[in-house]
Amino acid sequence: MITAFVVMSGDTPIAVATDRDTAQDNALTRQTAWASASEYDYRWDEYDPGKVWRLMQRRKGEAGKGRRYSWTTFAVHAVESFVGGAR
């Protein structure tokens, strides 16, 4: 078995990668396509340790001062996967 990392938008799987960094980069790229990285700070929250990471955002500057990070619609889920065919 290998671990695959599935990028989710809400409840919809939209991409898969063989490593977590690639999956997280994919989700961040999708998020920043409409919510600019120049306007928001982003970080990953390990929502379910070793299994689920949620992308969080907060406005930069005065607009975000004193505010908490909020979840975006994107998450990365670790999924155990079988490779190869049946014998």
Side-chain angles (χ1 to χ4, degrees), residues 18-79:
T18 55
D19 64 271
R20 183 171 49 106
D21 288 338
T22 300
Q24 288 179 334
D25 288 346
N26 181 288
L28 183 58
T29 298
R30 291 170 187 269
Q31 175 67 21
T32 57
W34 67 271
S36 173
S38 65
E39 295 178 43
Y40 291 91
D41 283 323
Y42 293 97
R43 71 176 180 89
W44 286 96
D45 174 47
E46 193 168 10
Y47 181 72
D48 188 358
K51 296 179 183 177
V52 179
W53 296 264
R54 302 278 315 255
L55 181 59
M56 302 185 79
Q57 70 180 10
R58 177 176 66 187
R59 282 249 188 217
K60 288 184 176 180
E62 286 299 314
K65 191 174 183 178
R67 302 225 182 241
R68 296 180 182 186
Y69 279 85
S70 59
W71 286 337
T72 66
T73 61
F74 293 99
V76 171
H77 293 249
V79 178

